[in-house]
């Protein structure tokens, strides 16, 4: 297949196109979901195909197919060229790509235990024991345990001579207990809500989550939530746990730093960004202790890889340094428009979709001390964690998050459990109020395998390193 | 694309080689082309041709699923073997009633040759026409023009054989001025000939110009007119959290323990109809079961959810033909939603508002705050206007709402006769057809800077 793709790219080059690349992608996904000890879903999905991207006369065309025969490859290349020429019929903007080095390389992420070689019975046993543990509390009506494994084999060649092979394996899982009583329903999850936690890793990562070992506590907390007091509505100090802070970073920092959004190419769908180019290097995004990076090289991060889908090496970029906004996620097309080079953030969902500017691992760097220290230093406030709902405006300013659980803080100690907590804010005001971030010991890269963007819709696997952090003067309980 | 006869023969022959007790094969062959534009220039222009086979097998009540996107007997056989290996090791699904028996589905006209053959040049020309309309208004346009064709076949070892060809076309146009003020319009149809590019562009441009110089207003309770897309976006989340039998069984739906009760206002009737060509029809589900018309809310009374074969067996009823693709864990859901129209004109709604808001559409709705109460949040976007004494007087900056959709839709006071058709935001063929509605006392809790 690689030779076929090289030939078709060479033929496009002979036709005088500005640039062309071809990607062959083969994906395998295993999804196992068990509910109350019964199988809800057990599936293995496989998909293979290729996509050809052509830049001709300064305009893009892309075509793709699951038919990998030589005739189909040649036809798809012709389609991509014809589409590029159609694109050039409207508007007078012309795409110019940055200069990049030619890359010939093979990349594989570190894997100790191939998840597709682990016996199914062993995986199902982990899920069954997890369901059993959560169900020890009789009020738990639904005990759900799930795990997913992904294998992604990619070939990339382009008219500049790059030739890259990558194999990326990802695993992870999670559990959720839903307790019901008197018409009320509360869910508690571990290690994170909505599918759990994921990493670029072998099955050793899924094992390390120890889902069965956390099942009983998860079920118990779901029941305790039924009887907990409603989270009061007030302006207060908020300490946010790592899993929720990961989504806070995702929505209020990760998306607005995508440079294609800034230039308006997502305006009609996902929206634009408040972080316009006039703000780069100038705008106070957060307090002095807020440091955020985009790091596609972080070992194990779900947004880690060797090369992006334009063949640009994975990189570490400062996004916010001592509170000041200083970097974007960029592509070869968008970076030159602000005088920079791509920092390797173009990622495509499989073979049939074009790469877009996507998050890698967007991480809040650790501060000092521990969560316990921060709580001890807080006279009055709320500790909140585990996402339940999310919403943010199309420029990424006004956000609102609901969480599974919270605890009152009084005089430096955790007090009563609170249910249905919700908080809201405006992004730069919120990050400006951050006055404590826990240290490295509690810092973890949370893997989110479900970041949506683009038309047709694409799903990306991204990571967010966080440790618990404190924010002052936050509006809590706005749903009242 | 593979022909109907070839696809059906491939599934039929493959079933003979299945090692399982029962087997279902879904063939899903699609070609999608999409032209995206921003600031009146095309920035993304793509095509994807794919052919997938999804195999669901049963060994007694043990199930497994596998898929391939190779349309060959060997690849399908391998997928069935992988699904069977999964089933062998898996615990039982006690509610599994066996695969559905054969039943005829309605013939629906859902295919347009014009849509299927639309070229990249034709889409580019349409974008050019939209840009020209925008230029006369001194603004720029963004958006997407998508056309797709789909062939879907379902066959199982219980004798089910279904086949369906469809096309759909979607055009969204989003006009923006130099200050970033936006207005938008969109349409969705089987036939591209039913989409009027210039008319949509004019609506988007007019909205954009009317939305200029927005003023900030305080959050609070307002009478509100929701245009069809705004209502459709709420319905999409209600479908996800409440309209399927699985959500009812698992205590997630507002209908759990409340079927037969009044949950919304007299003027609210919501139904799913896979054969109504007002939207984009789908005559059978992913289990091959013919779709029935299901009234979910009738004059405000909860009548019940939609079913697939598993949830139907649990309740001792027949499937309504709303099963989802086996590879996903979701239960049944609606794909052809309708909110019944009323007898009002849009101007009647305006005239009935002393001081309120007109909402063109919402952004980033989330309906997971408290699903039993249908408590939703979301932002307005692309044109939010103040209504005073029955007239639109000025544009306002966007607001965040937090409200129970049961409370809100209990306060519906007028519904327009005219309805709009929208595609489903979350992809897949199908549609939501909705009127504009006047809701009293809708709860906005926050504001933003634009």
């Amino acid at each position: 297949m690689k030779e076929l793709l090289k030939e078709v790219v060479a033929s496009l080059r002979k036709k005088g196109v500005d640039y062309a690349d071809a990607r062959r992608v083969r994906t395998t996904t295993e999804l196992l979901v068990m509910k109350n000890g019964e199988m809800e879903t057990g599936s293995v999905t496989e998909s293979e195909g290729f996509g050809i991207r052509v830049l001709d006369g300064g305009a893009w065309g892309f075509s793709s197919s699951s038919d990998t025969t030589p005739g189909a490859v040649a036809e798809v290349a012709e389609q991509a060229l014809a589409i590029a020429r159609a694109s050039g019929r409207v508007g007078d903007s012309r795409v110019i790509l940055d200069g990049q080095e030619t890359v010939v390389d093979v990349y594989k992420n570190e894997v100790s235990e191939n998840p597709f070689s682990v016996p199914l019975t062993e995986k199902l046993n982990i899920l069954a024991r997890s369901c059993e543990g959560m169900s020890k509390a009789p009020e738990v009506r639904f005990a759900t345990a799930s795990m997913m494994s992904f294998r992604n084999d990619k070939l990339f060649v382009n008219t500049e001579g790059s030739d890259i092979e990558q194999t990326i394996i990802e695993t992870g899982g999670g559990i959720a207990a839903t307790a019901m009583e008197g018409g009320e329903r509360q869910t508690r999850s571990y290690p994170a809500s909505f599918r759990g936690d994921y990493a670029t890793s072998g099955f050793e990562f899924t094992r390390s989550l120890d889902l069965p070992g956390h099942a009983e506590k998860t079920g118990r907390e779901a029941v305790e939530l039924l009887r907990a007091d409603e989270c009061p509505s007030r302006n207060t100090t908020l300490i946010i746990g790592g899993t929720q802070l990961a989504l806070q970073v995702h929505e209020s920092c990760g998306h607005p730093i995508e440079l294609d959004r800034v230039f308006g190419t997502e305006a009609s769908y996902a929206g634009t960004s408040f972080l316009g180019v006039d703000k780069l290097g100038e705008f106070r995004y957060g307090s002095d202790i807020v440091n955020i990076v985009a790091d596609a090289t972080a070992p194990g991060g779900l947004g880690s890889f060797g090369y992006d889908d334009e063949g640009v090496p994975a990189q570490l970029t400062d996004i916010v340094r001592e509170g000041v906004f200083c970097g974007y996620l960029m592509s070869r097309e968008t970076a030159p428009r602000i005088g920079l080079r791509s920092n390797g953030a173009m990622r495509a969902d499989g073979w049939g979709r074009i790469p877009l500017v996507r998050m890698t691992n967007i991480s809040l760097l650790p501060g000092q001390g521990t969560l316990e220290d921060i709580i001890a230093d807080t006279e009055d406030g709320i500790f909140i964690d585990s996402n339940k709902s999310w919403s943010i405006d199309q420029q990424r300013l006004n956000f609102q998050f609901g969480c599974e659980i919270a605890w009152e803080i009084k005089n430096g100690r955790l007090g009563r459990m609170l249910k249905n907590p919700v908080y809201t804010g405006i992004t730069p005001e919120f990050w400006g109020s951050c006055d404590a971030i826990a240290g490295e010991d509690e810092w973890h890269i949370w893997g989110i395998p479900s970041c949506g963007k683009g038309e047709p819709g694409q799903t990306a696997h991204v990571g967010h390193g966080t440790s618990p952090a404190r924010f002052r003067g936050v509006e809590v309980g706005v749903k009242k | 694309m593979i022909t109907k006869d070839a696809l059906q023969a491939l599934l039929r022959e493959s079933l003979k080689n299945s090692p399982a007790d029962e087997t279902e094969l879904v063939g899903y062959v699609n070609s999608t082309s999409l032209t995206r534009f921003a600031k009146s220039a095309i920035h993304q222009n793509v095509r994807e041709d794919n052919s997938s086979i999804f195999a669901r097998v049963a060994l007694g009540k043990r199930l497994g699923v596998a898929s391939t996107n190779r349309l060959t007997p060997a690849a399908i056989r391998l997928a069935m073997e992988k699904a069977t290996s999964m089933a062998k090791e898996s615990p039982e699904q006690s509610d599994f009633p066996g695969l559905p028996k054969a039943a005829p589905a309605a013939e629906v006209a859902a295919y347009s040759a014009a849509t299927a053959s639309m070229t990249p040049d034709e889409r580019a020309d349409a974008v050019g026409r939209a840009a020209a309309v925008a230029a006369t208004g001194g603004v720029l346009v963004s958006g997407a023009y998508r056309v797709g064709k789909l062939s879907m076949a379902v066959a199982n070892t219980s004798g089910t054989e279904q086949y369906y060809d469809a096309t759909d076309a979607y055009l969204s146009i989003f006009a923006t001025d130099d200050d970033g003020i936006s207005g938008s319009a969109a349409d969705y149809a089987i036939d591209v000939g039913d989409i009027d590019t210039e008319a949509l562009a004019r609506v988007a441009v007019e909205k954009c110009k009317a939305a200029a110089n927005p003023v900030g207003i305080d959050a609070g309770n307002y009478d509100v007119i929701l245009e069809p897309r705004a209502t459709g976006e709420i319905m999409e989340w209600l479908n996800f959290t409440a309209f399927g039998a699985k959500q009812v069984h698992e205590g997630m739906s507002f209908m759990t323990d409340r079927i037969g009760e009044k949950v919304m206002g007299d003027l609210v009737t919501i139904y799913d109809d896979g054969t109504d060509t007002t939207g984009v029809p789908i005559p059978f589900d992913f289990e091959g079961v013919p779709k029935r018309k299901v009234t979910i809310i009738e004059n405000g009374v909860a009548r019940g959810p939609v079913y697939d074969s598993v949830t139907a067996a649990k309740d001792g009823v027949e499937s309504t033909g709303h099963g989802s693709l086996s590879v996903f864990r979701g239960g049944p859901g609606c794909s052809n939603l309708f909110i019944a129209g009323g007898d009002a004109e849009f101007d009647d709604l305006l005239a009935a508002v002393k001081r309120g808001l007109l909402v063109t559409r919402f952004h980033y709705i989330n309906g997971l705050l408290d699903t039993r109460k249908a408590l939703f949040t979301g932002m307005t976007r692309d044109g939010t206007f103040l209504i005073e004494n029955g007239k639109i007087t000025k544009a306002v900056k966007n607001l965040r709402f937090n409200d129970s959709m049961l409370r809100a839709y209990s306060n519906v006071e007028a519904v327009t006769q005219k309805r709009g058709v929208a595609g489903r935001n979350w992809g897949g063929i199908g549609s939501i057809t909705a009127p504009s509605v006047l809701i009293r006392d809708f709860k906005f809790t926050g504001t933003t800077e634009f």
Side-chain angles (χ1 to χ4, degrees):
Chain A
M1 186 71 190
K2 188 198 280 188
E3 290 311 309
L4 203 53
L5 295 181
K6 278 186 166 178
E7 280 172 27
V8 85
V9 164
S11 118
L12 285 164
R13 189 178 183 179
K14 275 188 195 159
K15 287 179 181 170
V17 303
D18 305 341
Y19 169 87
D21 59 36
R23 290 182 304 114
R24 196 280 337 253
V25 182
R26 187 187 297 139
T27 58
T28 303
T29 304
E30 182 186 75
L31 168 65
L32 304 172
V33 184
M34 199 177 280
K35 185 172 279 182
N36 294 347
E38 293 201 357
M39 208 64 192
E40 187 165 79
T41 300
S43 67
V44 181
T45 54
E46 294 182 344
S47 182
E48 181 180 358
F50 69 98
I52 295 174
R53 192 172 66 140
V54 174
L55 184 65
D56 185 64
W60 284 115
F62 174 82
S63 190
S64 61
S65 177
S66 56
D67 184 348
T68 53
T69 57
V73 173
E75 189 182 336
V76 166
E78 286 301 319
Q79 287 167 359
L81 180 56
I83 290 170
R85 288 177 176 163
S87 300
R89 292 162 66 112
V90 183
D92 51 11
S93 59
R94 292 290 174 262
V95 173
I96 298 169
L97 301 181
D98 70 4
Q100 291 286 336
E101 288 73 36
T102 296
V103 176
V104 178
D105 199 6
V106 175
Y107 171 87
K108 293 182 179 181
N109 68 305
E110 201 169 307
V111 171
S112 298
E113 195 176 11
N114 183 347
F116 296 96
S117 300
V118 175
L120 186 59
T121 48
E122 193 178 338
K123 296 176 192 169
L124 295 175
N125 180 263
I126 291 171
L127 299 180
R129 286 189 291 124
S130 301
C131 288
E132 197 179 314
M134 287 184 279
S135 298
K136 282 185 179 168
E139 297 89 344
V140 171
R141 290 274 302 279
F142 302 101
T144 306
S146 63
M147 59 176 70
M148 286 194 283
S149 302
F150 306 90
R151 181 185 170 114
N152 219 324
D153 293 292
K154 302 203 269 192
L155 288 175
F156 173 89
V157 295
N158 69 10
T159 45
E160 297 166 349
S162 284
D163 174 346
I164 302 167
E165 294 180 33
Q166 295 190 83
T167 299
I168 297 173
I169 288 178
E170 303 160 333
T171 67
I175 57 174
T178 298
M180 290 170 61
E181 194 173 63
E184 189 178 349
R185 186 179 198 271
Q186 291 288 342
T187 296
R188 184 74 180 118
S189 57
Y190 168 85
S193 50
F194 305 109
R195 305 186 193 193
D197 191 16
Y198 290 82
T200 48
S201 169
F203 196 71
E204 63 273 14
F205 176 76
T206 306
R207 284 190 200 283
S208 75
L209 296 173
D210 186 19
L211 301 179
H214 292 82
E216 202 170 326
K217 183 183 178 216
T218 302
R220 200 167 53 240
E221 285 187 344
V223 177
E224 288 171 15
L225 278 169
L226 289 173
R227 290 140 199 185
D229 292 329
E230 281 283 328
C231 184
S233 297
R234 63 186 179 121
N235 187 294
T236 188
T237 295
L238 191 67
I239 299 172
I240 302 178
T243 67
Q244 170 55 29
L245 200 52
L247 196 67
Q248 178 77 51
V249 170
H250 181 96
E251 301 289 9
S252 66
C253 182
H255 280 302
I257 60 168
E258 295 161 349
L259 193 51
D260 56 349
R261 279 185 79 116
V262 174
F263 288 140
T265 54
E266 290 291 329
S268 62
Y269 188 63
T272 58
S273 170
F274 74 97
L275 289 171
V277 293
D278 57 318
K279 291 188 167 71
L280 187 64
E282 305 284 338
F283 182 70
R284 180 148 285 282
Y285 177 89
S287 64
D288 288 347
I289 63 167
V290 174
N291 292 285
I292 297 174
V293 298
D295 186 3
T297 69
L302 195 64
S304 296
F305 44 79
Y307 300 89
D308 77 355
D309 289 320
E310 289 191 309
V312 177
Q315 293 170 38
L316 167 64
T317 304
D318 282 333
I319 300 298
V320 175
R321 193 186 305 127
E322 294 179 352
V324 177
F325 166 59
C326 61
Y328 286 112
L329 293 163
M330 299 178 290
S331 64
R332 295 187 64 183
E333 174 184 347
T334 54
R337 293 177 62 181
I338 56 170
L340 297 172
R341 293 175 75 207
S342 169
N343 55 358
M346 280 289 266
R347 306 178 69 193
D349 181 3
W351 53 266
R353 303 288 155 90
I354 204 162
L356 299 174
V357 176
R358 301 306 306 256
M359 288 178 230
T360 55
N361 301 297
I362 312 302
S363 298
L364 173 68
L365 296 183
Q368 292 179 331
T370 64
L371 171 62
E372 196 177 342
D373 295 338
I374 297 173
I375 291 170
D377 181 50
T378 303
E379 193 173 322
D380 179 45
I382 287 170
F383 172 55
I384 192 169
D385 205 8
S386 303
N387 183 262
K388 183 174 171 184
S389 66
W390 60 96
S391 177
I392 189 164
D393 72 41
Q394 58 104 346
Q395 289 189 19
R396 304 274 154 177
L397 282 164
N398 178 314
F399 63 80
Q400 178 179 310
F401 293 102
C403 288
E404 285 180 358
I405 198 162
W407 288 269
E408 198 170 52
I409 301 169
K410 288 283 182 200
N411 302 317
R413 305 182 75 157
L414 281 186
R416 61 181 175 145
M417 182 186 286
L418 301 168
K419 66 184 171 189
N420 302 327
V422 176
Y423 69 98
T424 189
I426 298 291
T427 296
E429 292 170 12
F430 175 80
W431 283 103
S433 76
C434 180
D435 74 344
I437 302 170
E440 269 184 46
D441 289 351
E442 288 166 310
W443 193 84
H444 172 72
I445 303 178
W446 298 95
I448 298 177
S450 53
C451 172
K453 184 178 176 180
E455 292 177 287
Q458 300 197 33
T459 301
H461 293 188
V462 303
H464 300 290
T466 58
S467 49
R470 183 173 64 191
F471 301 83
R472 300 290 192 181
V474 180
E475 290 297 329
V476 172
V478 289
K479 72 171 189 167
K480 301 296 177 300
Chain B
M1 281 168 70
I2 189 170
T3 64
K4 173 184 177 181
D5 287 347
L7 181 59
Q8 289 197 297
L10 181 64
L11 299 190
R12 201 178 296 130
E13 289 304 310
S14 295
L15 284 176
K16 292 176 185 170
N17 297 319
S18 174
D21 298 344
E22 296 182 84
T23 302
E24 168 192 275
L25 295 174
V26 176
Y28 196 91
V29 181
N30 63 302
S31 177
T32 303
S33 295
L34 183 141
T35 300
R36 283 185 103 186
F37 48 103
K39 299 184 178 173
S40 297
I42 294 172
H43 65 91
Q44 181 182 322
N45 209 346
V46 301
R47 173 175 171 160
E48 179 181 352
D49 292 347
N50 196 10
S51 306
S52 297
I53 301 288
F54 299 90
R56 178 168 64 144
V57 307
L59 298 171
K61 287 181 179 288
R62 298 173 192 272
L63 274 73
V65 174
S67 78
T68 176
N69 70 338
R70 314 277 95 181
L71 281 188
T72 65
I76 297 170
R77 185 178 181 122
L78 186 60
M80 291 189 298
E81 286 170 359
K82 285 182 178 175
T84 304
S85 298
M86 178 72 73
K88 273 181 187 163
E89 305 294 344
S90 297
E92 290 189 344
Q93 295 185 29
S94 57
D95 294 330
F96 178 63
L99 293 175
K101 303 284 187 291
E107 290 280 330
V108 297
Y111 187 86
S112 154
T115 304
S117 62
M118 192 181 200
T119 66
D121 285 341
E122 289 171 323
R123 293 197 306 278
D125 288 344
V127 173
R129 293 197 301 276
V133 170
T136 61
V139 298
L140 297 170
V141 284
S142 304
Y145 204 146
R146 172 171 58 79
V147 289
K149 54 184 174 179
L150 163 72
S151 298
M152 186 169 94
V154 182
N156 71 25
T157 47
S158 293
T160 292
E161 278 205 7
Q162 304 283 17
Y163 183 87
Y164 160 73
D165 276 319
T167 57
D168 67 346
Y170 170 73
L171 175 60
S172 68
I173 297 180
F174 177 94
T176 45
D177 67 13
D178 290 342
D179 297 326
I181 299 300
S182 58
S184 72
D187 201 1
Y188 182 70
I190 295 167
D191 190 331
V192 288
D194 292 334
I195 291 182
D196 186 334
T197 301
E198 285 90 341
L200 282 179
R202 281 193 292 273
V203 171
V205 171
E206 284 163 16
K207 280 266 187 194
C208 174
K209 295 183 94 61
N213 305 311
V215 297
I217 59 166
D218 292 336
N221 288 19
Y222 290 88
D223 293 347
V224 64
I225 296 172
L226 303 184
E227 290 194 2
R229 278 194 293 162
T231 298
E233 285 153 354
I234 287 170
M235 290 301 141
E236 195 152 21
W237 266 96
L238 283 175
N239 181 31
F240 176 59
T241 59
F243 290 167
K246 185 175 177 185
Q247 291 95 320
V248 173
H249 290 162
E250 296 189 354
M252 184 181 189
S253 170
F254 68 82
M255 290 198 290
T256 302
D257 301 328
R258 296 194 68 186
I259 290 171
E261 286 183 27
K262 190 80 183 272
V263 293
M264 293 180 180
D266 290 341
L267 297 179
V268 181
T269 293
I270 302 168
Y271 59 96
D272 185 90
D273 189 350
T275 63
D276 190 328
T277 52
T278 309
V280 176
I282 306 173
F284 56 87
D285 68 4
F286 286 101
E287 295 186 301
V289 177
K291 280 188 185 285
R292 297 181 185 183
K293 180 178 177 180
V294 178
T295 300
I296 299 156
I297 306 287
E298 184 175 28
N299 300 123
V301 176
R303 290 298 179 204
V306 296
Y307 287 96
D308 58 10
S309 63
V310 171
T311 54
K314 195 167 183 173
D315 280 1
V317 299
E318 291 188 357
S319 169
T320 57
H322 292 85
S324 56
L325 195 57
S326 55
V327 74
F328 302 118
R329 54 182 290 207
C334 301
S335 52
N336 304 83
L337 263 176
F338 293 81
I339 297 89
D343 57 8
E345 299 296 324
F346 186 79
D347 286 347
D348 299 335
L349 270 57
L350 274 180
V353 177
K354 191 172 180 193
R355 188 167 191 276
L357 296 170
L358 170 64
V359 174
T360 300
R361 59 180 293 212
F362 290 116
H363 177 78
Y364 230 136
I365 288 178
N366 192 294
L368 295 173
L369 281 81
D370 186 336
T371 58
R372 288 294 282 261
K373 294 174 184 164
L375 192 60
F376 283 26
T377 189
M379 296 293 302
T380 63
R381 73 176 285 187
D382 300 347
T384 308
F385 303 95
L386 186 66
I387 305 165
E388 293 174 295
N389 299 316
K391 290 192 165 47
I392 295 170
T393 54
K394 62 188 75 159
V396 298
K397 291 183 179 177
N398 291 298
L399 296 114
R400 170 174 297 287
F401 76 89
N402 273 275
D403 209 342
S404 158
M405 293 303 104
L406 302 183
R407 193 186 84 85
Y409 279 80
S410 292
N411 292 342
V412 170
E413 195 168 289
V415 178
T416 59
Q417 190 174 25
K418 188 178 174 189
R419 297 187 290 180
V421 181
R424 294 189 292 161
N425 275 330
W426 296 344
I429 214 158
S431 52
I432 300 175
T433 304
S436 296
V437 296
L438 166 59
I439 297 174
R440 297 291 186 197
D441 200 35
F442 197 81
K443 195 171 175 182
F444 290 95
T445 58
T447 59
T448 191
E449 296 176 5
F450 59 95

